[in-house]
Amino acid sequence: MQPLVRQQYLTTAVLVLTATGVVGTESGSGCTYTSTKTWTVTDACGNVGTASQTVTYTRDTELPVITLAASTAVNCNPTQAEIDAAFGAATVTDNCSVGLTATGVVGTESGSGCTYTTTKTWTVTDACGNVGTASQTVTYTRDTELPVITLAASTAVNCNPTQAEIDAAFGAATVSDNCSIGL
């Protein structure tokens, strides 16, 4: 028979360390801001370890600004291409983003009688998701009706009339139109 041998095992408790972090106050100006988080951990012997981490970001709540050049005049009964060409160009400024370009969408024609309008709406979104808008409307005449001439009766002309007598024999003419004023 073999003697019993006792083995003794020492176990050591393992301390699981967890770092805790505190976020400091935001600092910055203009568009650039930072926040720092400082981490600390203390081991079983009271030793303190620290580390910090800084993140940099943009703080921008201002909308981009769209500036529109003046529109040009549109002739009567314009084509869609003529209407599109009448709108002014758009330029964009923003407090934090650069190189922005506005996009424009031309709406449908509206109006009645002789006066019609078309509006183009421009939009631009900056790097922080702020959306700027601007719109421009062109007004023009849509007229496909012919003007109407009404003649007064002419008078009789004697034999061998002079040019002045011939001219005087014609009746006066008056004009009416749905969109223009007669002279």
Side-chain angles (χ1 to χ4, degrees):
M1 186 154 73
Q2 289 188 328
L4 289 172
V5 178
R6 280 187 173 207
Q7 292 183 333
Q8 191 173 9
Y9 295 100
L10 293 174
T11 58
T12 326
V14 176
L15 178 62
V16 177
L17 299 177
T18 304
T20 57
V22 176
V23 177
T25 305
E26 176 180 87
S27 65
S29 63
C31 299
T32 305
Y33 286 81
T34 61
S35 289
T36 300
K37 187 172 188 175
T38 303
W39 298 87
T40 59
V41 63
T42 304
D43 68 13
C45 293
N47 299 307
V48 178
T50 62
S52 63
Q53 196 173 36
T54 300
V55 292
T56 303
Y57 48 92
T58 300
R59 173 105 29 231
D60 177 12
T61 57
E62 289 186 35
L63 301 179
V65 175
I66 301 171
T67 303
L68 301 174
S71 61
T72 58
V74 180
N75 294 325
C76 288
N77 302 320
T79 64
Q80 188 62 51
E82 291 169 330
I83 294 168
D84 293 347
F87 291 104
T91 57
V92 179
T93 56
D94 189 61
N95 62 321
C96 295
S97 299
V98 294
L100 298 176
T101 302
T103 56
V105 175
V106 176
T108 57
E109 179 177 89
S110 66
S112 63
C114 300
T115 304
Y116 285 79
T117 61
T118 299
T119 299
K120 185 172 188 176
T121 303
W122 297 87
T123 59
V124 63
T125 304
D126 69 14
C128 287
N130 300 307
V131 178
T133 61
S135 63
Q136 190 172 46
T137 300
V138 292
T139 303
Y140 46 90
T141 300
R142 194 59 80 205
D143 178 10
T144 56
E145 290 184 33
L146 300 175
V148 176
I149 301 172
T150 304
L151 301 175
S154 58
T155 57
V157 179
N158 294 327
C159 290
N160 302 317
T162 65
Q163 186 61 48
E165 291 171 326
I166 295 170
D167 292 345
F170 289 105
T174 59
V175 178
S176 62
D177 188 61
N178 63 319
C179 294
S180 300
I181 297 172
L183 298 178

